[in-house]
Amino acid sequence: MVRTILIWAGFAVAAWAAAVLTLVFVGRRTAAMELATLLPNLVHLFRGLTKDPRVSLGSKLWLWFAVAWFVSPIDLVPEFIPVLGPLDDAVVAALVLRPRHALAAPAATAET
């Protein structure tokens, strides 16, 4: 099970890197930089929020759902499609974070 998750996570990272390189190749450097920083920023934010005691258990469960979605091989748009592949992950992150920001301690989100 863990091996399968790691393989799919590696596949997702490779697709993400391919999408960034595709954007650089077609001359969309700003979009490439935004996409390149999306995943590391989300990892940092989610790690900080899941460890913060001010964030409710319900919000933490939603954050873990989003993490499971990111590493899951099941996506609305396959990861190997450049630019659109990581888009469903960004949409899930936004849908999970928006109400969590309103319910969680705003200071916790600002600090992470």
Side-chain angles (χ1 to χ4, degrees):
M1 176 73 174
V2 173
R3 183 174 183 239
T4 304
I5 291 173
L6 290 175
I7 289 171
W8 280 105
F11 200 38
V13 169
W16 169 69
V20 171
L21 291 175
T22 301
L23 286 170
V24 169
F25 181 71
V26 298
R28 302 200 50 207
R29 294 187 187 278
T30 303
M33 286 298 293
E34 290 172 358
L35 184 59
T37 58
L38 174 68
L39 191 59
N41 287 342
L42 284 176
V43 168
H44 179 73
L45 177 64
F46 280 30
R47 183 181 306 159
L49 289 175
T50 56
K51 291 181 179 181
D52 196 316
R54 296 173 292 182
V55 178
S56 70
L57 178 61
S59 292
K60 288 180 182 181
L61 291 174
W62 276 106
L63 291 169
W64 281 111
F65 166 78
V67 169
W69 178 271
F70 298 149
V71 298
S72 169
I74 300 169
D75 282 327
L76 295 176
V77 180
E79 294 291 338
F80 61 83
I81 297 176
V83 182
L84 296 178
L87 186 62
D88 68 329
D89 293 339
V91 169
V92 168
L95 290 175
V96 167
L97 287 174
R98 185 167 183 184
R100 295 320 119 217
H101 180 69
L103 294 175
T109 309
E111 290 173 9
T112 55

Short mmCIF file of all heavy atoms in Angstrom, two decimals, residues 26-64:
data_model
loop_
_atom_site.label_atom_id
_atom_site.label_comp_id
_atom_site.label_asym_id
_atom_site.label_seq_id
_atom_site.Cartn_x
_atom_site.Cartn_y
_atom_site.Cartn_z
N VAL A 26 7.06 27.01 -23.59
CA VAL A 26 6.18 27.81 -24.44
C VAL A 26 6.24 29.30 -24.11
O VAL A 26 5.50 30.08 -24.68
CB VAL A 26 4.71 27.31 -24.40
CG1 VAL A 26 4.61 25.90 -24.92
CG2 VAL A 26 4.11 27.44 -23.02
N GLY A 27 7.12 29.68 -23.19
CA GLY A 27 7.33 31.09 -22.91
C GLY A 27 6.46 31.69 -21.84
O GLY A 27 6.40 32.91 -21.71
N ARG A 28 5.78 30.89 -21.07
CA ARG A 28 4.92 31.41 -20.00
C ARG A 28 5.62 31.26 -18.67
O ARG A 28 5.23 30.49 -17.81
CB ARG A 28 3.57 30.69 -20.03
CG ARG A 28 2.90 30.87 -21.39
CD ARG A 28 1.45 30.64 -21.41
NE ARG A 28 0.77 31.38 -20.37
CZ ARG A 28 -0.37 30.97 -19.85
NH1 ARG A 28 -0.94 29.87 -20.28
NH2 ARG A 28 -0.95 31.67 -18.90
N ARG A 29 6.68 32.02 -18.48
CA ARG A 29 7.53 31.90 -17.29
C ARG A 29 6.81 32.26 -15.99
O ARG A 29 7.02 31.64 -14.96
CB ARG A 29 8.79 32.73 -17.44
CG ARG A 29 9.69 32.23 -18.54
CD ARG A 29 11.02 32.97 -18.56
NE ARG A 29 11.81 32.62 -19.70
CZ ARG A 29 12.57 31.53 -19.78
NH1 ARG A 29 12.60 30.70 -18.79
NH2 ARG A 29 13.28 31.29 -20.87
N THR A 30 5.95 33.26 -16.03
CA THR A 30 5.22 33.65 -14.82
C THR A 30 4.29 32.52 -14.37
O THR A 30 4.26 32.17 -13.19
CB THR A 30 4.41 34.93 -15.07
OG1 THR A 30 5.29 35.96 -15.51
CG2 THR A 30 3.69 35.37 -13.81
N ALA A 31 3.57 31.94 -15.32
CA ALA A 31 2.69 30.82 -14.99
C ALA A 31 3.51 29.63 -14.50
O ALA A 31 3.10 28.91 -13.58
CB ALA A 31 1.85 30.42 -16.20
N ALA A 32 4.68 29.42 -15.08
CA ALA A 32 5.56 28.32 -14.65
C ALA A 32 6.03 28.53 -13.21
O ALA A 32 6.05 27.58 -12.41
CB ALA A 32 6.75 28.19 -15.58
N MET A 33 6.38 29.75 -12.86
CA MET A 33 6.81 30.04 -11.48
C MET A 33 5.66 29.84 -10.50
O MET A 33 5.86 29.32 -9.41
CB MET A 33 7.36 31.47 -11.38
CG MET A 33 8.72 31.64 -12.00
SD MET A 33 9.96 30.64 -11.18
CE MET A 33 10.04 31.42 -9.60
N GLU A 34 4.47 30.27 -10.87
CA GLU A 34 3.31 30.08 -9.99
C GLU A 34 3.02 28.60 -9.78
O GLU A 34 2.77 28.17 -8.66
CB GLU A 34 2.09 30.79 -10.57
CG GLU A 34 2.20 32.29 -10.53
CD GLU A 34 1.08 32.99 -11.27
OE1 GLU A 34 0.22 32.30 -11.87
OE2 GLU A 34 1.05 34.23 -11.27
N LEU A 35 3.07 27.83 -10.85
CA LEU A 35 2.82 26.40 -10.73
C LEU A 35 3.94 25.70 -9.98
O LEU A 35 3.70 24.80 -9.18
CB LEU A 35 2.65 25.77 -12.12
CG LEU A 35 2.29 24.29 -12.16
CD1 LEU A 35 0.98 24.03 -11.42
CD2 LEU A 35 2.20 23.81 -13.59
N ALA A 36 5.18 26.15 -10.19
CA ALA A 36 6.33 25.54 -9.51
C ALA A 36 6.27 25.75 -8.00
O ALA A 36 6.70 24.89 -7.23
CB ALA A 36 7.63 26.10 -10.08
N THR A 37 5.74 26.87 -7.57
CA THR A 37 5.69 27.14 -6.13
C THR A 37 4.40 26.68 -5.47
O THR A 37 4.32 26.67 -4.24
CB THR A 37 5.88 28.65 -5.87
OG1 THR A 37 4.87 29.38 -6.54
CG2 THR A 37 7.26 29.12 -6.33
N LEU A 38 3.40 26.28 -6.25
CA LEU A 38 2.12 25.88 -5.68
C LEU A 38 2.26 24.68 -4.74
O LEU A 38 1.85 24.74 -3.58
CB LEU A 38 1.11 25.54 -6.79
CG LEU A 38 -0.23 24.97 -6.30
CD1 LEU A 38 -1.01 26.03 -5.55
CD2 LEU A 38 -1.02 24.43 -7.47
N LEU A 39 2.85 23.60 -5.23
CA LEU A 39 2.93 22.38 -4.42
C LEU A 39 3.77 22.57 -3.16
O LEU A 39 3.32 22.22 -2.07
CB LEU A 39 3.45 21.23 -5.28
CG LEU A 39 3.36 19.84 -4.68
CD1 LEU A 39 1.92 19.49 -4.36
CD2 LEU A 39 3.94 18.82 -5.65
N PRO A 40 4.98 23.13 -3.24
CA PRO A 40 5.74 23.34 -2.01
C PRO A 40 5.04 24.26 -1.01
O PRO A 40 5.08 24.02 0.21
CB PRO A 40 7.06 23.96 -2.48
CG PRO A 40 7.17 23.56 -3.90
CD PRO A 40 5.78 23.47 -4.42
N ASN A 41 4.37 25.29 -1.50
CA ASN A 41 3.65 26.20 -0.60
C ASN A 41 2.48 25.50 0.08
O ASN A 41 2.21 25.72 1.27
CB ASN A 41 3.16 27.43 -1.36
CG ASN A 41 4.29 28.38 -1.70
OD1 ASN A 41 5.37 28.31 -1.12
ND2 ASN A 41 4.05 29.23 -2.68
N LEU A 42 1.76 24.67 -0.67
CA LEU A 42 0.65 23.92 -0.07
C LEU A 42 1.14 22.93 0.98
O LEU A 42 0.53 22.78 2.03
CB LEU A 42 -0.15 23.19 -1.14
CG LEU A 42 -1.08 24.04 -2.00
CD1 LEU A 42 -1.73 23.20 -3.09
CD2 LEU A 42 -2.13 24.72 -1.15
N VAL A 43 2.25 22.25 0.69
CA VAL A 43 2.82 21.31 1.67
C VAL A 43 3.19 22.05 2.95
O VAL A 43 2.86 21.61 4.06
CB VAL A 43 4.05 20.58 1.08
CG1 VAL A 43 4.82 19.84 2.15
CG2 VAL A 43 3.61 19.63 -0.02
N HIS A 44 3.84 23.19 2.81
CA HIS A 44 4.23 23.99 3.99
C HIS A 44 3.00 24.46 4.77
O HIS A 44 2.94 24.36 6.00
CB HIS A 44 5.08 25.17 3.54
CG HIS A 44 5.50 26.06 4.65
ND1 HIS A 44 6.46 25.69 5.56
CD2 HIS A 44 5.09 27.29 5.02
CE1 HIS A 44 6.62 26.66 6.44
NE2 HIS A 44 5.79 27.65 6.13
N LEU A 45 2.00 24.97 4.06
CA LEU A 45 0.78 25.46 4.71
C LEU A 45 0.03 24.34 5.41
O LEU A 45 -0.35 24.46 6.58
CB LEU A 45 -0.13 26.14 3.68
CG LEU A 45 -1.48 26.63 4.20
CD1 LEU A 45 -1.29 27.73 5.23
CD2 LEU A 45 -2.34 27.11 3.04
N PHE A 46 -0.18 23.23 4.72
CA PHE A 46 -0.94 22.12 5.30
C PHE A 46 -0.20 21.52 6.49
O PHE A 46 -0.82 21.16 7.49
CB PHE A 46 -1.21 21.04 4.25
CG PHE A 46 -2.36 21.37 3.34
CD1 PHE A 46 -2.68 22.67 3.02
CD2 PHE A 46 -3.10 20.36 2.77
CE1 PHE A 46 -3.72 22.97 2.18
CE2 PHE A 46 -4.16 20.64 1.93
CZ PHE A 46 -4.48 21.95 1.64
N ARG A 47 1.12 21.39 6.41
CA ARG A 47 1.89 20.85 7.53
C ARG A 47 1.74 21.76 8.75
O ARG A 47 1.53 21.29 9.87
CB ARG A 47 3.36 20.72 7.15
CG ARG A 47 4.18 20.09 8.27
CD ARG A 47 5.64 19.98 7.92
NE ARG A 47 5.80 19.27 6.65
CZ ARG A 47 6.87 19.37 5.91
NH1 ARG A 47 7.87 20.12 6.26
NH2 ARG A 47 6.96 18.69 4.79
N GLY A 48 1.85 23.06 8.54
CA GLY A 48 1.71 23.99 9.65
C GLY A 48 0.32 23.96 10.27
O GLY A 48 0.17 23.98 11.49
N LEU A 49 -0.71 23.90 9.44
CA LEU A 49 -2.08 23.91 9.96
C LEU A 49 -2.43 22.61 10.68
O LEU A 49 -3.17 22.64 11.67
CB LEU A 49 -3.07 24.17 8.83
CG LEU A 49 -3.08 25.59 8.27
CD1 LEU A 49 -4.01 25.69 7.07
CD2 LEU A 49 -3.47 26.60 9.34
N THR A 50 -1.94 21.48 10.20
CA THR A 50 -2.27 20.22 10.87
C THR A 50 -1.57 20.08 12.22
O THR A 50 -2.04 19.36 13.08
CB THR A 50 -1.93 18.99 10.00
OG1 THR A 50 -0.56 19.05 9.63
CG2 THR A 50 -2.82 18.93 8.78
N LYS A 51 -0.47 20.80 12.41
CA LYS A 51 0.24 20.73 13.69
C LYS A 51 -0.20 21.81 14.67
O LYS A 51 0.13 21.74 15.85
CB LYS A 51 1.75 20.86 13.45
CG LYS A 51 2.34 19.67 12.75
CD LYS A 51 3.83 19.85 12.57
CE LYS A 51 4.42 18.63 11.88
NZ LYS A 51 5.86 18.78 11.69
N ASP A 52 -0.94 22.80 14.21
CA ASP A 52 -1.32 23.92 15.06
C ASP A 52 -2.48 23.53 15.97
O ASP A 52 -3.53 23.09 15.50
CB ASP A 52 -1.73 25.11 14.18
CG ASP A 52 -1.77 26.41 14.94
OD1 ASP A 52 -2.29 26.42 16.08
OD2 ASP A 52 -1.28 27.40 14.41
N PRO A 53 -2.34 23.70 17.28
CA PRO A 53 -3.42 23.33 18.21
C PRO A 53 -4.64 24.24 18.11
O PRO A 53 -5.72 23.87 18.59
CB PRO A 53 -2.76 23.43 19.59
CG PRO A 53 -1.61 24.35 19.40
CD PRO A 53 -1.15 24.19 17.98
N ARG A 54 -4.52 25.41 17.51
CA ARG A 54 -5.66 26.32 17.39
C ARG A 54 -6.62 25.91 16.29
O ARG A 54 -7.75 26.40 16.22
CB ARG A 54 -5.16 27.74 17.11
CG ARG A 54 -4.35 28.32 18.26
CD ARG A 54 -3.75 29.63 17.87
NE ARG A 54 -2.72 29.38 16.85
CZ ARG A 54 -1.95 30.31 16.32
NH1 ARG A 54 -2.12 31.57 16.67
NH2 ARG A 54 -1.04 30.01 15.43
N VAL A 55 -6.19 25.01 15.41
CA VAL A 55 -7.04 24.55 14.31
C VAL A 55 -7.89 23.38 14.80
O VAL A 55 -7.37 22.45 15.41
CB VAL A 55 -6.17 24.14 13.10
CG1 VAL A 55 -7.03 23.61 11.97
CG2 VAL A 55 -5.33 25.33 12.63
N SER A 56 -9.18 23.43 14.55
CA SER A 56 -10.11 22.40 15.05
C SER A 56 -9.84 21.05 14.40
O SER A 56 -9.27 20.96 13.31
CB SER A 56 -11.55 22.82 14.79
OG SER A 56 -11.82 22.75 13.40
N LEU A 57 -10.30 20.01 15.07
CA LEU A 57 -10.14 18.66 14.56
C LEU A 57 -10.86 18.48 13.22
O LEU A 57 -10.34 17.85 12.30
CB LEU A 57 -10.67 17.64 15.58
CG LEU A 57 -10.59 16.17 15.15
CD1 LEU A 57 -9.15 15.76 14.90
CD2 LEU A 57 -11.24 15.29 16.19
N GLY A 58 -12.05 19.06 13.09
CA GLY A 58 -12.79 18.98 11.83
C GLY A 58 -12.02 19.59 10.67
O GLY A 58 -11.97 19.03 9.57
N SER A 59 -11.39 20.74 10.92
CA SER A 59 -10.59 21.38 9.87
C SER A 59 -9.38 20.53 9.53
O SER A 59 -9.00 20.42 8.36
CB SER A 59 -10.14 22.76 10.32
OG SER A 59 -11.25 23.63 10.43
N LYS A 60 -8.77 19.91 10.53
CA LYS A 60 -7.62 19.05 10.28
C LYS A 60 -8.02 17.83 9.45
O LYS A 60 -7.27 17.40 8.57
CB LYS A 60 -6.98 18.61 11.59
CG LYS A 60 -6.25 19.74 12.28
CD LYS A 60 -5.63 19.29 13.57
CE LYS A 60 -4.95 20.47 14.26
NZ LYS A 60 -4.31 20.10 15.50
N LEU A 61 -9.21 17.29 9.70
CA LEU A 61 -9.68 16.16 8.91
C LEU A 61 -9.87 16.55 7.44
O LEU A 61 -9.54 15.79 6.53
CB LEU A 61 -10.96 15.59 9.49
CG LEU A 61 -10.81 14.88 10.84
CD1 LEU A 61 -12.19 14.49 11.39
CD2 LEU A 61 -9.92 13.67 10.72
N TRP A 62 -10.40 17.74 7.21
CA TRP A 62 -10.54 18.23 5.83
C TRP A 62 -9.19 18.42 5.18
O TRP A 62 -9.01 18.14 3.98
CB TRP A 62 -11.34 19.53 5.79
CG TRP A 62 -12.81 19.30 5.77
CD1 TRP A 62 -13.68 19.50 6.80
CD2 TRP A 62 -13.58 18.80 4.69
NE1 TRP A 62 -14.95 19.15 6.42
CE2 TRP A 62 -14.92 18.71 5.13
CE3 TRP A 62 -13.28 18.41 3.40
CZ2 TRP A 62 -15.95 18.26 4.30
CZ3 TRP A 62 -14.30 17.95 2.58
CH2 TRP A 62 -15.61 17.89 3.03
N LEU A 63 -8.21 18.91 5.93
CA LEU A 63 -6.86 19.07 5.39
C LEU A 63 -6.27 17.71 5.01
O LEU A 63 -5.64 17.57 3.96
CB LEU A 63 -5.96 19.79 6.40
CG LEU A 63 -6.29 21.25 6.64
CD1 LEU A 63 -5.53 21.78 7.84
CD2 LEU A 63 -5.98 22.08 5.41
N TRP A 64 -6.48 16.70 5.85
CA TRP A 64 -5.98 15.36 5.54
C TRP A 64 -6.71 14.78 4.33
O TRP A 64 -6.12 14.05 3.52
CB TRP A 64 -6.08 14.43 6.74
CG TRP A 64 -4.96 14.69 7.71
CD1 TRP A 64 -5.06 15.24 8.95
CD2 TRP A 64 -3.57 14.44 7.50
NE1 TRP A 64 -3.82 15.34 9.52
CE2 TRP A 64 -2.89 14.85 8.65
CE3 TRP A 64 -2.84 13.90 6.45
CZ2 TRP A 64 -1.51 14.76 8.78
CZ3 TRP A 64 -1.47 13.80 6.58
CH2 TRP A 64 -0.82 14.22 7.72
#
